Amino acid sequence: MNIIIEIIKCFIFVRIVWVDIKRKIIPEKSVITLLVIGLILALQSHSLEKYYLGICAYSMPMIVLYILEDYVNKTLIGFGDIKLMMGIGGLLKYTGIENVMNFYIILYSFSGIVAFLFLFLKKWKKYEYIPFAPFIVISYVIFEIFFYKVF
């Protein structure tokens, strides 16, 4: 059963990345599917509370960033990125603030380095739309491989 869920997650992540790059939007059905998968896994492991707290904890820094957009009058992230973080938070579940911080350190470091390289190599223009979903998904994979399974 778990291998089937992992394959489904991979297809969903590929779809999210592809659609975000091509259409600049994160599909609602994919995010809802991630939330349902997280719910199923939480019910299997009797950790519904950690599922809910994971949704809240992993999406909260993005919500704060979304609110700050009003004060700087610039679009930083879209609400689809927040919904994607809710789905990922449900998959990861809340296991402590350290893991949330580690995830965001990976996310911002990785996306900053890649964005800097692409800007330096003139692949992106300074104010061009940069899809954030690929960075979120790759950070999730890195986090699951190196951090999440250890605890």
Side-chain angles (χ1 to χ4, degrees):
M1 177 75 170
N2 285 341
I3 191 74
I4 295 170
I5 289 175
E6 291 298 321
I7 292 170
I8 292 170
K9 279 189 340 188
C10 288
F11 280 120
I12 291 169
F13 286 142
V14 168
R15 181 172 189 259
I16 287 172
V17 168
W18 182 260
V19 172
D20 191 34
I21 290 171
K22 293 296 181 188
R23 296 180 45 215
K24 302 175 183 170
I25 193 168
I26 295 175
E28 296 284 331
K29 290 179 183 176
S30 298
V31 173
I32 291 171
T33 308
L34 285 179
L35 286 167
V36 169
I37 289 172
L39 180 62
I40 291 169
L41 293 173
L43 290 172
Q44 280 181 346
S45 62
H46 304 289
S47 58
L48 200 55
E49 179 182 350
K50 289 182 179 183
Y51 166 76
Y52 176 73
L53 289 174
I55 289 172
C56 296
Y58 282 91
S59 63
M60 189 55 65
M62 288 266 193
I63 292 171
V64 170
L65 190 61
Y66 190 74
I67 292 169
L68 288 176
E69 288 181 351
D70 290 339
Y71 295 105
V72 296
N73 293 324
K74 182 164 175 56
T75 302
L76 302 172
I77 60 168
F79 201 70
D81 297 321
I82 295 170
K83 291 185 282 188
L84 176 58
M85 282 306 300
M86 291 171 78
I88 286 177
L91 291 173
L92 292 175
K93 297 182 197 61
Y94 183 76
T95 54
I97 194 68
E98 312 86 34
N99 284 337
V100 176
M101 295 301 293
N102 286 335
F103 180 84
Y104 272 96
I105 288 170
I106 293 168
L107 174 62
Y108 291 140
S109 299
F110 175 69
S111 59
I113 291 168
V114 172
F116 176 76
L117 287 174
F118 274 68
L119 288 170
F120 182 74
L121 297 173
K122 308 275 191 229
K123 299 289 182 187
W124 288 334
K125 295 178 181 150
K126 190 172 183 180
Y127 295 104
E128 184 179 3
Y129 171 80
I130 299 173
F132 200 50
F135 298 116
I136 294 172
V137 169
I138 292 170
S139 297
Y140 168 78
V141 172
I142 292 169
F143 182 77
E144 260 210 336
I145 292 170
F146 292 109
F147 288 94
Y148 191 67
K149 299 298 182 191
V150 175
F151 298 108

